[in-house]
Amino acid sequence: ELSPVPPVVLPAAVLGIHRVSRAFLPAMRERGSGLFINVSSVAGRFGSPFFAVYNASKWAVEGYSLGCRGELASSGVDVVVVEPGPFSTELFPQAPAPADVDGIAAGYPAGLHEAFEGMGAAFEEMFAGDEVDTDPETVVDSFEDLADMKPGTRPFRTVVGFDFGVVRPMNEFAAEKQVELMTAMGMAEVTVLRTGE
């Protein structure tokens, strides 16, 4: 199975995915097929102010999933990620504000404070328009669509919702370069999903 990695190496956001993968892998390998759908975010494809920790956790999910995809392909087990864009949730109202007990915030430029204060309003304005899909059920629909796809045809990354106009093209480019990288490393064959056909 996947090598046991000491907990200090994996970010907390990835530990659950790792544990679930290890629990289900024996049965999937025995059957010679399986599908893991890990939830990342479009924020796993870029970095932005005020989201450094969140971005890092999603980058970790992306990297872990991509590594596992190549590692498990020859066993017939597929690994994909779903990248939801921003959805109208209670994230901003419920997110705790930094306590700033040490007065660190005073060291940041005023423009950064203004940007932070305006960020929530900008998201609310974005969600108020009709051009952004805010129905979280579309994320669940993407799981069903991926499960229904023929093994060997699933994309590694599936964006759901708003991607700021950049994540889908980034993913297409990255998919091409991943194939080139695996070929250069002599691993092109083992990273192709075995479908039993």
Side-chain angles (χ1 to χ4, degrees), residues 31 42 56 61 72 79 88 147 149 153-154 158 170-171 189:
R31 189 174 62 199
V42 294
V61 170
L72 299 174
V79 180
S88 183
M149 286 182 183
T153 66
R154 298 179 187 105
T158 298
M170 285 174 62
N171 288 349
E189 288 186 23

Side-chain angles (χ1 to χ4, degrees), residues 24-38:
F24 281 88
L25 266 174
M28 289 183 174
R29 285 189 185 211
E30 185 177 338
R31 189 174 62 199
S33 66
L35 172 63
F36 287 105
I37 301 174
N38 294 330

